[in-house]
């Protein structure tokens, strides 16, 4: 950049063009060399994006709940749905499948009971006998009976659905006036669906359905953050975490057998950050054991729950240091920097995640305000798992163009795009989040190379072994070529 | 950062602390060494900020129109008002003085006429005779007559005030649903007040009052972007730009004579970017002449008006190259990157401003998405003039914590804080914008050192000569010491 000084005439247009191209080449995918067919598709995409930016309403500038229908009508979105996107690396176990499936399929199964909590949420249980009442709930109703007595079951079903997702047709700013409120409703919805999805037969089906939803969205690999909760049978007996992990492994094997162009899945065992130190210690030890016993399906360990309310990582430093002190491998995939409380203890999680040698960072929303953590993440290739719609719904950002990942993408910081809890947000798969990243963060300049890079990143930054990565990349490349040749015209 | 690899135990707490301190030291003012008294004031500020961040409503997360009263009640704001802030480097000529002064003082002067435009704005003129009607306006009313006939003059005055500012007690999102609307109203308000402020006696008083408003806010130097419009007398005769510039010089001299602790002002001549190439060429030539004839008061040249609607800088490249081609000095202070239309032609202004060797950059809101421009600005010490409230009111950003300058401040990018059009936004001086920067961008970590650095930056990045800067800095230091000793307890 030095050769610019000492100029005594109009800036040289060729030099200017070179600098523009330099900047373009620095973005995510900026170094990607495109084939003729890819270049054709790219010009098509460019025109689509120009049109999208000239429209009266620009979806990335709007709340996703209001933008969703516009996005569904967007030709860019249709392309992104068809595009092979690689892997989904930041998704939570019970927020993947459409709540409609939960209501229309799961709650219609026999032995399904429901009760109403004081704070207007609901709870479920499957049981062969009439279940014992919960302290915070009304007495149980057998859903079959309730539906038989109800004149309008559609209304009942809709109201159940409303309890299982944050998505609403209301004005989102009115429905969720603050981060505290949206997190409370999030946690209530989560508790509501727990009784449904931890019933063993549903648990299997839900996970199968999760893989199917990503598969249908042209995602070929999944790293699922899973609580490995107690799963129960109709008679009230329960299974331990090893059983749950084994079940994940079995269903994954079934699914990939049925769909040979789906590569598979791994599980990141997660614990709520609200636990105390001794529980955390025990859980870390169990995680090490599970990692040893299930090396193929288990990818590592993470903490979940709102960072702003829980203890910071450093609070659990003794527990989190056990694996490295014993020389045992337990990869970390810490959520960190999902906060706007700048400079507080919680805002320290980003640096601490890196000091604990995290493999990736969940969200990293605060990264651009932490130059040391940012440089460490960049130099070590610790990818940020960016979940645009999640950050918007949980009220960290309003207009996606102001999402910090826009700056990260402009300098090709290691990152992947993911969807966190798509069913909670009324999204599904990865395509909605890819849309926000491609149209919202990337502006007019991000191109097919950026999309290709994002897909490749999702394989390169996965916890698959190098050999596995080569295999997935080869599978992905075939599908990518097909996608390009079918859509470039 | 390399010594971190290969660790096989818990992260070393001292190393962790060192990295945290490294990050703190990288922010704006992070290298500043504080005296004992400054450290005392700093701990006080820290506690105030902690309290502010724990409050139910966090002003930097809110629209300024809603936050203003909360800010006024903030003890941090009271301190910032008292703090000597150095210079205001990005302020426009006719949006400085409270509209209340315009209505209560100026419109009560004799010979003041007003008319009503079709799109519900107003226009003014002072005239010894009944003025000729304007094509877009109703017939003229002498305000004296109008007030005599009105039962409720307060209501009339309030309605006039409402026409001269964007500030409103209404919900700002309802009043200004889009950038287009808010810019339209902005331009109408501007046209409304033009007739008042370009009347020669008012022009002098308005500028005197502008200096007074900054002086009262403990600002000691001003670089005013000025249109140098035709100024008129009561008989309809008009003055040229040289007269206007001379008047600025005279009034500045008067004001500094009255207030020896105010250093002075310089003028950046601005032209609306809506003009055509041949007009621009003529204006650049006139600017060169004015720069030669008024070297003490004139600082340089800039274009104004909404970037998204006007032509980009590159469109005017021939005109803007005239000074450098003739070897004539005409410093540029270009507005650039005040846009969220990423990747468009207008978004190219940032790089082009730097290629045209701009002395500073107005706004630079898009800078973090332009790594090449960002590096050039950093290496060359081309400061970004950050105007937080302006960017929020003009709808580039919602929550100040997501303003790109938060990231720039975390890495001590050359920048100053300014207020753009304070009277338009219901603000005044620099203190409100300092509040947004200090509390909103900086989070808990930014400290008294950051504030000190921002004040020093406003002198170091001014267009004063090095010798003048030393003098202002010495004046500022005395006031700073007084401020610290009076408030540290
Ligand atoms: Zn998550
Ligand atoms: Zn401006």
């Amino acid at each position: 950049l030095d050769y610019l000084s000492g100029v005594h005439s109009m800036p040289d247009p060729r030099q200017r063009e070179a600098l523009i191209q330099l900047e373009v080449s620095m973005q995510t995918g900026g170094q990607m060399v495109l084939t003729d067919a890819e270049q054709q598709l790219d010009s098509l995409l460019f025109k689509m994006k120009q049109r999208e930016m000239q429209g009266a309403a620009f979806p990335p500038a709007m709340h996703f709940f209001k933008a969703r229908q516009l996005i569904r009508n967007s030709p860019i979105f249709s392309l992104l749905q068809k595009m092979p996107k690689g892997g989904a690396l930041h998704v939570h176990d019970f927020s993947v499948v459409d709540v409609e499936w939960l209501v229309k399929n799961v709650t219609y199964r026999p032995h399904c009971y429901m009760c109403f909590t004081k704070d207007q949420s609901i709870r479920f249980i499957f049981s062969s006998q009439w279940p014992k009442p919960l302290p915070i709930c009304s007495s149980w109703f057998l859903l079959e009976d309730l539906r038989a007595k109800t004149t309008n079951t559609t209304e009942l079903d809709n109201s159940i659905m409303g309890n299982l997702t944050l998505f609403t047709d209301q004005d989102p700013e009115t429905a969720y006036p603050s981060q505290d409120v949206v997190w409370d409703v999030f946690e209530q919805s989560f508790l509501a669906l727990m009784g449904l999805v931890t019933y063993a037969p549903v648990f299997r089906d839900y996970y199968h359905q999760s893989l199917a939803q990503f598969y249908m969205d042209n995602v070929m690999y999944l790293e699922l953050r899973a609580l490995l909760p107690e799963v129960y049978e109709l008679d009230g007996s329960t299974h331990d975490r090893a059983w749950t992990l084994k079940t994940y492994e079995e269903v994954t094997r079934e699914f990939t057998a049925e769909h040979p162009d789906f590569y598979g899945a791994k599980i990141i065992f997660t614990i709520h950050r609200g636990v105390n130190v001794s529980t955390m210690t025990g859980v870390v030890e169990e995680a090490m054991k599970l990692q040893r016993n299930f090396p193929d399906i288990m990818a590592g360990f993470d903490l979940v729950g709102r960072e702003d309310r829980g203890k910071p990582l450093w609070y659990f430093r003794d527990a989190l240091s056990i694996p490295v002190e014993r020389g045992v491998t337990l990869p970390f995939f810490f959520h960190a920097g999902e906060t706007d409380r700048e400079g507080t203890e919680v805002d320290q999680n980003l640096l601490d995640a890196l000091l604990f040698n995290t493999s990736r960072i969940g969200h990293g929303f605060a990264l651009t305000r932490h130059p040391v953590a940012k440089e460490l993440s960049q130099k070590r290739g610790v990818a940020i798992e960016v979940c645009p719609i999640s950050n918007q719904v949980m009220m960290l950002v309003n207009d996606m163009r102001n999402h910090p990942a826009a700056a990260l993408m402009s300098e090709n910081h290691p990152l992947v795009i993911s969807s966190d809890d798509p069913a909670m947000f009324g999204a599904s798969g990865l395509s909605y989040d890819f849309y926000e990243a491609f149209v919202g963060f990337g502006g007019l300049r991000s191109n097919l190379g950026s999309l290709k890079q994002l897909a490749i990143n999702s394989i390169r930054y996965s916890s698959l072994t190098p050999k596995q990565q080569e295999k997935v990349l080869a599978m992905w490349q075939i599908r990518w070529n097909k996608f390009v040749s079918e859509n470039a015209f």
Side-chain angles (χ1 to χ4, degrees), chain A residues 216-230:
Chain A
M216 273 157 38
D217 196 41
N218 290 302
V219 174
M220 57 194 295
Y221 173 69
L222 180 64
E223 286 188 11
L224 192 72
R225 277 169 168 88
L227 289 162
L228 307 182
E230 221 166 49

Side-chain angles (χ1 to χ4, degrees), chain A residues 168-322:
Chain A
T168 169
D169 291 326
Q170 275 185 272
D171 181 44
E173 276 107 48
T174 313
Y176 307 114
S178 71
Q179 287 183 7
D180 286 345
V181 172
V182 76
W183 272 97
D184 282 343
V185 179
F186 181 89
E187 279 164 12
Q188 284 304 320
S189 310
F190 178 80
L191 292 172
L193 53 77
M194 275 301 268
L196 295 174
V197 294
T198 55
Y199 172 45
V202 175
F203 180 80
R204 292 188 71 97
D205 290 359
Y206 187 94
Y207 180 55
H208 192 279
Q209 194 67 18
S210 300
L211 296 176
Q213 284 217 302
F214 278 101
Y215 177 74
M216 273 157 38
D217 196 41
N218 290 302
V219 174
M220 57 194 295
Y221 173 69
L222 180 64
E223 286 188 11
L224 192 72
R225 277 169 168 88
L227 289 162
L228 307 182
E230 221 166 49
V231 173
Y232 68 96
E233 298 286 351
L234 209 55
D235 61 6
S237 64
T238 59
H239 302 288
D240 66 0
R241 286 183 173 132
W243 181 93
T244 309
L245 208 43
K246 231 178 300 172
T247 305
Y248 275 128
E249 199 162 22
E250 277 170 30
V251 177
T252 308
R253 212 171 289 140
E254 269 169 46
F255 190 87
T256 48
E258 293 156 25
H259 307 89
D261 56 342
F262 188 81
Y263 183 78
K266 290 205 175 202
I267 302 296
I268 297 165
F269 172 31
T270 59
I271 181 83
H272 197 280
R273 64 179 74 248
V275 302
N276 62 27
V277 168
S278 81
T279 305
M280 184 62 81
T281 308
V283 168
V284 168
E285 293 192 342
E286 190 174 358
M288 289 159 62
K289 207 170 112 194
L290 292 169
Q291 185 78 33
R292 190 176 64 234
N293 295 343
F294 299 91
D296 293 336
I297 187 82
M298 174 125 164
F301 182 69
D302 184 16
L303 317 188
V304 297
R306 186 178 177 193
E307 279 182 72
D308 287 334
R309 268 191 202 152
K311 300 286 185 199
L313 291 176
W314 192 244
Y315 176 80
F316 296 114
R317 59 191 175 281
D318 290 316
L320 299 177
S321 302
I322 298 172

Side-chain angles (χ1 to χ4, degrees), chain A residues 125-177:
Chain A
I125 196 167
F126 285 90
S127 180
S128 47
Q129 297 171 310
W130 204 271
K132 274 187 227 140
L134 293 181
I136 50 131
C137 233
S138 68
S139 55
W140 290 103
F141 298 87
L142 185 66
L143 258 173
E144 223 179 307
D145 294 351
L146 207 63
R147 286 206 176 93
K149 282 181 216 150
T150 308
T151 47
N152 192 340
T153 52
T154 312
E155 205 173 89
L156 175 64
D157 287 356
N158 285 344
S159 114
I160 297 177
M161 267 188 260
N163 270 288
L164 303 176
T165 177
L166 290 174
F167 187 84
T168 169
D169 291 326
Q170 275 185 272
D171 181 44
E173 276 107 48
T174 313
Y176 307 114

Side-chain angles (χ1 to χ4, degrees), chain A residues 24-45:
Chain A
V24 170
S25 78
M26 288 168 80
Q27 71 179 340
T28 300
Q31 309 276 351
M32 206 59 83
V33 180
L34 299 185
T35 65
D36 285 353
E38 284 172 339
Q39 282 177 36
Q40 259 183 293
L41 179 54
D42 186 49
S43 351
L44 200 72
L45 263 173

Side-chain angles (χ1 to χ4, degrees), chain A residues 45-46 48-54 57-61 71 74-78 80 388 399-402 406 409 417 431-447 450-451 454:
Chain A
L45 263 173
F46 182 80
M48 287 177 181
K49 213 192 266 188
Q50 262 188 324
R51 224 168 296 139
E52 206 112 337
M53 280 175 79
Q54 281 154 5
F58 185 58
I71 296 175
S74 151
I76 298 180
F77 180 69
S78 305
L80 290 172
D399 185 328
M400 290 291 189
R401 292 171 295 186
N402 291 326
M409 264 181 68
I417 302 298
S431 293
Y432 290 97
D433 286 278
F434 261 72
Y435 175 89
E436 302 284 5
F438 181 61
V439 183
F441 303 169
L444 257 186
R445 274 187 180 177
S446 72
N447 51 27
S450 318
L451 291 171
L454 287 173

